[in-house]
């Protein structure tokens, strides 16, 4: 596959992943009402582990190396433990639209960690587009919070930071371990530690939860926790971590759209204006030049030698 074609396909896979992730907060908001923060935040990994274990056994996948295991721990802390648990807690008190705009800071966090973890150096054009998008979503978050950030906002901002690191580390590791293998092994690492806290929070009343609550939980376990990451990590491995991360600017507005459809949340004119600004930043950043540290260093040496 030619480089240009590979990068375009990577962007397409990244878009698929973002669409899948965009249903995460709406599904979490529905499920947490009936199952609670711990069961929704950690239980999804326990359920996903059953599917993952079957896939790993059928495909006879080899165990990760010690070096890969260290990277998988980073992915597990962010994508398997921190993000699901923190967003579940936040969605118990915040509307989806409020949480969605804060998650739009993910591209900036991911790109920042990519510099250190994957050796990518975004250009000035890339950073300008990231800043434009970030400022837009911050203004939107303050608007929804009537000029203030709630305590649950801190949970979401923390989730953004640790997931950004997880995305960057996972995208780098996917190039050598495989895209779906990254999240699969991360799930298997985290799931055993979640069984006890999830079991202690299970109640008989949960068996009587409505069908839409069960569908939401199953979606979180199968799609949000596993299949969406397969598409996402594949996209970053093929299209570049920093560049593909730009697509995440669409995620909060897709979340708001899905929240309108499934949760009857309204879309204001201000939301549409911010959406236009963010989409513009995606278009600007998508075409920005991304270089490798090694290449940059060679060019610098040539200039000064």
């Amino acid at each position: 596959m030619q480089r240009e074609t590979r990068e375009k396909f990577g962007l397409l896979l990244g878009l698929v992943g973002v669409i899948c992730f965009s249903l995460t907060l709406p599904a979490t908001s529905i499920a947490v009402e009936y199952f609670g923060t711990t069961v929704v935040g950690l239980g999804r990994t326990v359920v996903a582990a059953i599917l993952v274990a079957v896939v790993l056994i059928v495909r006879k996948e080899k165990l990760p190396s010690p070096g890969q295991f260290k990277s998988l721990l980073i992915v597990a802390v962010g994508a398997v433990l921190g993000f699901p648990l923190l967003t579940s807690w936040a969605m118990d008190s915040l509307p989806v639209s409020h949480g969605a705009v804060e998650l739009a800071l993910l591209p900036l966090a991911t790109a920042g960690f990519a510099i250190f973890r994957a050796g990518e150096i975004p250009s000035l054009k890339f950073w300008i587009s990231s800043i434009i998008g970030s400022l837009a979503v911050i203004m939107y978050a303050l608007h929804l919070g009537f000029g203030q950030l709630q305590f649950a906002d801190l949970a979401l901002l923390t989730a953004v930071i640790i997931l950004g690191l997880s995305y960057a580390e996972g995208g780098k590791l996917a190039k050598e371990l495989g895209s779906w293998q990254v999240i699969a092994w991360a799930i298997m690492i985290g799931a055993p530690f979640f069984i006890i806290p999830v079991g202690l929070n299970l109640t008989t009343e949960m068996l009587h939860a409505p069908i839409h609550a069960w569908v939401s939980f199953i979606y979180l376990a199968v799609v949000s926790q596993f299949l969406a990451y397969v598409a996402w990590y594949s996209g970053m491995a093929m299209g570049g971590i920093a560049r593909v991360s730009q697509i995440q600017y669409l995620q909060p507005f897709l979340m708001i759209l899905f929240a309108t459809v499934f949760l009857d949340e309204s879309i204001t004119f201000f939301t549409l204006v911010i959406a236009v600004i963010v989409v513009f930043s995606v278009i600007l950043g998508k075409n920005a030049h991304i270089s490798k540290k090694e290449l940059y260093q060679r060019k610098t040496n040539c200039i000064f030698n």
Side-chain angles (χ1 to χ4, degrees):
M1 185 182 295
Q2 295 181 351
R3 180 178 178 180
E4 183 177 352
T5 302
R6 180 182 175 85
E7 290 181 351
K8 288 183 178 180
F9 190 61
L11 289 171
L12 177 60
L13 287 175
L15 178 60
V16 171
V18 164
I19 293 174
C20 292
F21 287 137
S22 296
L23 281 164
T24 298
L25 287 192
T28 300
S29 181
I30 294 173
V32 76
E33 179 180 353
Y34 299 94
F35 302 118
T37 300
T38 302
V39 173
V40 174
L42 302 182
R44 69 178 76 173
T45 300
V46 176
V47 174
I50 299 174
L51 170 63
V52 171
V54 172
V55 175
L56 291 174
I57 292 174
V58 171
R59 291 182 57 88
K60 298 180 180 179
E61 293 290 331
K62 296 181 179 180
L63 292 174
S65 66
Q68 293 171 338
F69 185 79
K70 293 179 181 179
S71 294
L72 286 171
L73 283 177
I74 296 177
V75 177
V77 170
V80 176
L81 172 62
F83 183 79
L85 192 60
L86 289 170
T87 53
S88 295
W89 182 74
M91 286 302 96
D92 195 30
S93 58
L94 291 178
V96 170
S97 56
H98 193 127
V101 292
E102 295 185 18
L103 293 187
L105 295 175
L106 266 174
L108 192 59
T110 304
F113 284 118
I115 294 177
F116 301 101
R117 305 303 301 174
E120 293 188 354
I121 301 181
S123 64
L124 179 60
K125 181 180 179 181
F126 175 89
W127 286 116
I128 290 176
S129 67
S130 295
I131 292 173
I132 291 174
S134 297
L135 288 177
V137 298
I138 289 174
M139 289 174 55
Y140 187 54
L142 291 174
H143 173 74
L144 291 177
F146 302 101
Q148 295 181 344
L149 295 178
Q150 302 181 40
F151 186 75
D153 292 317
L154 297 177
L156 287 175
L157 292 175
T158 302
V160 166
I161 294 174
I162 62 175
L163 189 61
L165 174 58
S166 176
Y167 275 171
E169 190 69 23
K172 176 184 177 182
L173 185 59
K175 296 179 181 180
E176 56 180 272
L177 186 60
S179 58
W180 69 270
Q181 288 91 336
V182 171
I183 188 60
W185 286 113
I187 289 173
M188 296 306 296
I189 290 173
F193 298 98
F194 302 162
I195 294 177
I196 293 179
V198 170
L200 292 175
N201 283 273
L202 291 176
T203 64
T204 55
E205 287 78 9
M206 294 179 181
L207 296 174
H208 304 290
I211 186 64
H212 64 275
W214 283 105
V215 170
S216 297
F217 180 75
I218 293 174
Y219 179 89
L220 291 171
V222 177
V223 180
S224 293
Q225 195 60 54
F226 182 50
L227 297 182
Y229 278 103
V230 173
W232 180 244
Y233 282 136
S234 296
M236 288 196 293
M238 298 178 70
I241 295 173
R243 177 167 291 154
V244 174
S245 70
Q246 289 286 305
I247 303 176
Q248 292 175 94
Y249 280 133
L250 295 174
Q251 184 170 309
F253 300 96
L254 288 174
M255 284 184 179
I256 293 172
L257 175 62
F258 291 138
T260 301
V261 174
F262 297 109
L263 302 176
D264 293 327
E265 292 190 10
S266 60
I267 299 179
T268 64
F269 177 74
F270 184 68
T271 298
L272 296 178
V273 172
I274 295 296
V276 171
I277 296 175
V278 173
V279 169
F280 173 76
S281 72
V282 173
I283 297 174
L284 181 65
K286 186 174 71 68
N287 298 317
H289 176 69
I290 306 295
S291 60
K292 290 289 184 179
K293 277 187 177 180
E294 293 82 0
L295 179 60
Y296 174 80
Q297 290 171 348
R298 286 199 298 267
K299 289 182 177 179
T300 303
N301 291 336
C302 290
I303 293 176
F304 290 99
N305 290 335

